[in-house]
Amino acid sequence: MTFQPSYGLHSATKQRTTNSSSSSPRRVPVLALKSSKHQISPSITSLKTSLSSTSVSQNKSRRLCTSVHAYSVTVQSLDGVSTVVEVPEGEYILAAALDAGLDMSHDCTMGTCCRCSARLLQGEVDMSAGMIDADVAARGYTLLCIATPKSDVVVQCIDEEELLKEVLDG
C-alpha cells in the first residue's frame, strides 16, 4: 500500500476544505490510499530513513543498524568429513558448531578437559579465555570451546590424547 497526496476527489477519501477569511473554501492535500501489493512507496521508505537519521543525530548512542560479522570456519571431523559453519564474531567455535547440528566431542566447555581438541590448519583464533599454554597454541593446537575466530579458519578435530601427549612432551 502506498500513500500519495491528492488534491481532488478520490474514491478512497473525501476532499477536505478549510475556511479562511475568503468566501470560498481552499483545497488541502489529502493522503490517498492506493493499493499495490507488496510494494513500499519510495517516499515512505525515505521518510523512515529521514526519521531514523534524525533520531540518531539527536541520540548518538542509538545505531541505525547492527551488523555482526561472521567468520567461515571449516571443521574437519575425526572421520574426515568437512563442514563449513558461520561463526559470529565473539562466539566460540564449539558453540556455533553445536548450534549448526554438528556432533562434536566436548565436556566442560571451559577449556580444561581437552575433549574438544583440534589442530588449527589455517587462520587465527583467540583462546585467551582458556588454559592452553601459548607454546602449545603456537604449535597449532586449539580447544574449540574457548576459541573465537579472528579470521576465516580451518580446524581439524583430533583425539584429546594427541593434545595431552603434545602438552606432556612439549
Side-chain angles (χ1 to χ4, degrees):
M1 300 186 133
T2 60
F3 293 94
Q4 296 179 344
S6 173
Y7 289 94
L9 290 175
H10 189 274
S11 61
T13 62
K14 293 183 179 178
Q15 182 178 4
R16 293 185 185 168
T17 59
T18 60
N19 291 325
S20 61
S21 58
S22 66
S23 60
S24 64
R26 66 185 170 108
R27 291 178 183 219
V28 176
V30 176
L31 286 180
L33 180 62
K34 289 188 178 181
S35 178
S36 60
K37 260 188 173 176
H38 310 294
Q39 186 177 22
I40 297 175
S41 168
S43 60
I44 297 294
T45 304
S46 63
L47 176 63
K48 286 180 182 176
T49 304
S50 172
L51 290 174
S52 295
S53 299
T54 303
S55 66
V56 168
S57 64
Q58 291 172 354
N59 182 1
K60 297 284 185 194
S61 65
R62 187 179 298 168
R63 295 182 355 180
L64 281 175
C65 66
T66 304
S67 63
V68 176
H69 186 268
Y71 295 104
S72 177
V73 175
T74 303
V75 179
Q76 298 175 355
S77 67
L78 287 171
D79 57 357
V81 176
S82 292
T83 306
V84 177
V85 178
E86 293 297 313
V87 181
E89 188 173 18
E91 187 172 331
Y92 297 123
I93 294 172
L94 178 65
L98 292 172
D99 287 346
L102 284 150
D103 184 23
M104 305 279 294
S105 177
H106 68 285
D107 192 17
C108 74
T109 65
M110 297 182 301
T112 57
C113 75
C114 298
R115 293 278 318 259
C116 60
S117 303
R119 197 176 297 120
L120 182 64
L121 302 178
Q122 182 180 3
E124 181 182 353
V125 296
D126 175 21
M127 293 184 295
S128 59
M131 300 170 64
I132 195 166
D133 290 335
D135 61 325
V136 174
R139 288 182 285 199
Y141 290 94
T142 186
L143 298 173
L144 298 179
C145 69
I146 52 135
T148 57
K150 295 297 174 192
S151 67
D152 291 345
V153 298
V154 177
V155 293
Q156 179 183 30
C157 295
I158 59 172
D159 188 76
E160 65 186 291
E161 297 299 320
E162 181 181 334
L163 178 61
L164 293 173
K165 183 177 187 259
E166 186 69 28
V167 169
L168 295 175
D169 293 344

